Amino acid sequence: MTTKINKKPLSFFYKNILIMFRGTIIAQIIAILVGFYLAKLYGKEAYGFLGFFVSIMNIASIIGTLQLDNCIIISKNKNESINWFNFILIIILPITLFIFFVLFVFSKFILIERLDTYMFLFCFFGSAIITYNLAHQRFFTFQKKFSVISNIKIFITICAVILQFILFEYYKLFGLIIGFLMAQIILLLYNFYKNKSNLNKVNFNEIKKGIILNKSLVTFLLPSNIINSLANNLMPILILAFFGAEKAGVYFFSIKILATPLFLISSSVSEVYYQKSSELKSENKIELLTVTKKIIKSNLLIMVLFLLIINTLGIYILDVFFENQWEYLKTYILILSFLILARSSFNPISSLIVVLDKNLIGLIFNCYLFIINLIAIYFGVLYSNILYTVFILSLFGGIGYYILLYYFLNHLKRNQLNV
């Protein structure tokens, strides 16, 4: 049976990607140009604590919504989406409070130098604020307000870098963190202003029915994404704990440089692809496979070109700019390139895990990534050489992403044959 591809929705799909790409690329250009200067200004230690802060915040934000924020996007109508949106806004703060209560109780087991009360407060407020902003972004995505999301990216980036630059004179170690927090607060106020007309009472009966209907989100996707977040964000925490803030700073900055185009691609494509793939799941499986392949090919082409440039001319420019003060930066970049290339092949289409209800597969893969992190840090500490950690993480993590990509492409191909 042959299914005709509807060209108009497809062109609208790419138009939305271009809208997202516009905002993301402008934001990233600003972040890169100013970011290098901020890195030179603040130094490795400040970036080490920033990496710890971002990692804790990313992990906590995954738990903060219990992954039910996905229901905002996959809702069948606007009323249902609004109900989920308001429910998510209610549960974020108590869940985040519980997370940091547990973290505070067990903090004596975390052997991290200079990790004081201020860092806990930074991480708590950052986690709560970014999770609220995530809920708003999900609602914008449901409404297909991609231009709003795009403009927000530019606005928040400009705010953050300006504040971080100003705050260096007052907070030379934590200015990066405080500037980021202040920018996120400004964004939160803006988001509530934009969505104030959609703040309503929650129909808990409908929420209960929705949770039962989408129980795999909590039973499989939540633990899967928690483990995935741990796998992707644990390393800056562990490196800071076992090797110190400066080495953690170099690792975090290396990832930040390499992941810039990946973030650019994911931020531009993932939200639009999520919404589109959810529609195509039952409507047009052939089109879903076609769109997915095109995205993967373009992602890999962009990343290969970037990685070639950054590992040749880029390394020379970085050495000159930083005056060789960031030891091992070029080595980290070279080793981690394999992992970043592998991530870029799957991350922008990772919403397939939810859309195709393959949350168990996601859970298994994320367990694998988490174990690789622990093995990597074990051998690094055992031989007192952080390069062992970075090499193991990049090699085996990258292989895992390629296997996962093959699985989903094969699954989409089988579905196409059954149309």
Side-chain angles (χ1 to χ4, degrees), residues 92-106:
I92 288 173
L93 187 58
I95 292 174
T96 306
L97 279 168
F98 176 75
I99 293 168
F100 281 88
F101 173 75
V102 173
L103 183 61
F104 184 80
V105 169
F106 290 98

Side-chain angles (χ1 to χ4, degrees), residues 9 21-23 33 50 58 98 107 125 132 159 195 205 210 212-213 216 219 290 292 295 306 368 382 409 413 419:
F21 188 79
R22 179 203 67 196
L33 294 178
L50 177 66
N58 287 342
F98 176 75
S107 61
F125 285 114
Y132 276 115
C159 280
N195 285 319
N205 289 329
I212 295 172
L213 187 64
S216 67
T219 55
T290 302
T292 302
I295 288 174
F306 170 78
Y368 166 79
L382 181 66
L409 285 177
K413 188 176 181 179
V419 174

Side-chain angles (χ1 to χ4, degrees), residues 39-227:
K40 188 174 183 179
L41 191 67
Y42 277 93
K44 294 178 284 188
E45 189 177 7
Y47 258 85
F49 285 108
L50 177 66
F52 175 86
F53 165 75
V54 171
S55 297
I56 292 290
M57 187 176 60
N58 287 342
I59 294 168
S61 65
I62 293 294
I63 308 171
T65 64
L66 302 178
Q67 289 302 284
L68 294 174
D69 57 297
N70 290 281
C71 294
I72 298 173
I73 295 179
I74 62 177
S75 295
K76 297 175 182 177
N77 54 67
K78 187 175 181 180
N79 288 334
E80 183 181 339
S81 184
I82 290 173
N83 197 40
W84 278 111
F85 172 65
N86 284 277
F87 174 71
I88 298 301
L89 295 182
I90 291 174
I91 66 173
I92 288 173
L93 187 58
I95 292 174
T96 306
L97 279 168
F98 176 75
I99 293 168
F100 281 88
F101 173 75
V102 173
L103 183 61
F104 184 80
V105 169
F106 290 98
S107 61
K108 62 180 180 180
F109 299 108
I110 304 175
L111 304 176
I112 300 178
E113 57 177 323
R114 299 181 70 176
L115 182 60
D116 54 20
T117 305
Y118 287 109
M119 276 300 296
F120 277 106
L121 291 174
F122 290 152
C123 292
F124 166 71
F125 285 114
S127 299
I129 293 166
I130 200 172
T131 309
Y132 276 115
N133 285 331
L134 172 64
H136 285 278
Q137 181 174 313
R138 294 296 201 198
F139 190 55
F140 287 138
T141 300
F142 172 81
Q143 300 175 88
K144 300 182 182 179
K145 291 184 177 180
F146 298 111
S147 59
V148 174
I149 301 174
S150 178
N151 292 332
I152 282 174
K153 292 179 186 297
I154 301 171
F155 172 75
I156 196 67
T157 302
I158 293 173
C159 280
V161 295
I162 290 174
L163 289 167
Q164 288 169 336
F165 176 76
I166 294 172
L167 289 169
F168 176 73
E169 291 297 323
Y170 307 96
Y171 306 100
K172 289 181 170 57
L173 191 60
F174 296 125
L176 292 169
I177 296 173
I178 298 171
F180 176 87
L181 274 174
M182 291 174 68
Q184 288 295 321
I185 292 171
I186 294 170
L187 175 59
L188 182 62
L189 294 174
Y190 171 80
N191 283 335
F192 270 111
Y193 172 76
K194 290 289 289 185
N195 285 319
K196 63 180 185 296
S197 62
N198 296 304
L199 300 176
N200 296 323
K201 292 183 179 179
V202 176
N203 186 331
F204 287 99
N205 289 329
E206 291 300 318
I207 294 296
K208 184 178 179 180
K209 292 177 184 178
I211 292 174
I212 295 172
L213 187 64
N214 299 283
K215 62 181 179 180
S216 67
L217 291 177
V218 178
T219 55
F220 291 130
L221 186 65
L222 177 60
S224 174
N225 281 354
I226 290 173
I227 295 170

